[in-house]
Amino acid sequence: MTRGVLGFTLIEVLISAGLLAMMGSLGMSVLHSSVQVKDAVQAQSQPYHMARQALQRMSREISMAYISAHGDPESPVVQTGFEGSTDKLSFTAFGHVVHRQNAHQSDQHKVAYFLGPDPQTGQQALLRSQIRDAKEFSRNEGKAQVLCKRVNKLRFEYWDERTKAWQSEWKSQVASSEWNLQNSGSAASGSKTALPKRVRIELSTHLGEKQELFLATQTGIWLHTQPIRMQ
């Protein structure tokens, strides 16, 4: 039996090597383009996802806001309230999750949303602060953390069920002296005795160098818009 032997000339080897190099270069070019497209899509989708997550969190926490008329008038330890302007909102709410065993915390907390500089980049961002201890509710704000980066605009509006109109400011606070009025419904000057029925949130953030994302939503306050009175 004879055995055939295949032979290649130098020109054929050079041609094969050239074709292989061209195919490799083309493959690398396609791969590089795919990575660039992926990075561009991710650069836009990440801010969009972060802004959506921020709106969802704000809506969820605002919906559990409350004010309480229950307390000791001689020793007002817990001061609840809801105070909002066009670009800042601070309120007490239920829904706090305790993560440490035997922590001196409850399901109540004080939350604030406002614009401020990002500690890492210095750019304007949406910040969220939280106070977990009910005895510290009299403080204005807790430690701030970034909720959404590169935010251009933050706007709140508050629905007044009595006037059927949106308000740019809202302040609901029940002081210890009001607790002693025994359900009279009276309020301090400049304050309201109830929470807004709904809160509208508008958020504008950067998507790219020249692109801007605008999102808006509304949330209702589901627990009780009137001060909670415990017998």
Side-chain angles (χ1 to χ4, degrees):
M1 180 180 295
T2 59
R3 183 178 180 182
V5 178
L6 295 178
F8 297 96
T9 64
L10 180 59
I11 295 178
E12 290 174 331
V13 172
L14 292 176
I15 292 175
S16 300
L19 291 174
L20 183 62
M22 291 176 59
M23 293 177 62
S25 176
L26 181 61
M28 289 298 296
S29 177
V30 172
L31 180 62
H32 180 68
S33 299
S34 301
V35 171
Q36 286 184 323
V37 172
K38 175 181 174 296
D39 291 342
V41 172
Q42 189 173 11
Q44 289 191 349
S45 63
Q46 187 173 4
Y48 176 79
H49 178 72
M50 184 178 292
R52 289 293 301 269
Q53 289 290 99
L55 278 183
Q56 290 178 4
R57 182 167 188 176
M58 286 192 291
S59 298
R60 182 176 67 252
E61 291 181 334
I62 293 172
S63 70
M64 293 185 282
Y66 80 99
I67 51 176
S68 174
H70 179 74
D72 184 353
E74 297 181 357
S75 179
V77 176
V78 177
Q79 179 71 66
T80 60
F82 185 103
E83 186 171 355
S85 61
T86 55
D87 58 356
K88 183 177 181 178
L89 175 59
S90 175
F91 59 95
T92 49
F94 292 106
H96 171 55
V97 179
V98 181
H99 296 284
R100 293 186 293 109
Q101 187 176 7
N102 299 324
H104 297 288
Q105 301 174 10
S106 68
D107 60 345
Q108 307 166 50
H109 59 168
K110 183 177 181 180
V111 182
Y113 304 118
F114 51 94
L115 295 179
D118 187 332
Q120 294 183 347
T121 64
Q123 296 176 328
Q124 183 171 260
L126 169 60
L127 303 180
R128 174 188 181 273
S129 70
Q130 180 183 32
I131 299 175
R132 299 181 178 90
D133 190 347
K135 295 181 180 180
E136 301 292 329
F137 281 177
S138 58
R139 292 166 47 197
N140 291 330
E141 297 171 6
K143 183 179 180 180
Q145 295 180 331
V146 176
L147 190 59
C148 184
K149 299 180 179 181
R150 302 184 67 187
V151 173
N152 301 326
K153 177 183 176 183
L154 174 67
R155 180 177 177 84
F156 296 105
E157 287 186 316
Y158 314 93
W159 179 256
D160 191 333
E161 188 68 15
R162 184 179 58 85
T163 61
K164 304 296 181 182
W166 290 102
Q167 305 292 334
S168 59
E169 295 184 355
W170 195 284
K171 183 177 182 180
S172 301
Q173 196 170 49
V174 180
S176 58
S177 59
E178 296 167 17
W179 179 88
N180 203 28
L181 294 177
Q182 296 296 329
N183 301 338
S184 66
S186 299
S189 177
S191 299
K192 300 179 185 296
T193 57
L195 297 175
K197 189 71 174 179
R198 302 195 308 273
V199 178
R200 181 160 62 192
I201 313 169
E202 298 178 359
L203 185 67
S204 175
T205 182
H206 285 288
L207 273 183
E209 294 297 329
K210 297 182 180 180
Q211 291 182 307
E212 188 174 0
L213 172 67
F214 176 81
L215 295 174
T217 188
Q218 293 185 29
T219 182
I221 296 179
W222 308 118
L223 179 64
H224 209 297
T225 58
Q226 298 296 323
I228 299 174
R229 300 181 184 274
M230 303 179 185
Q231 301 298 330

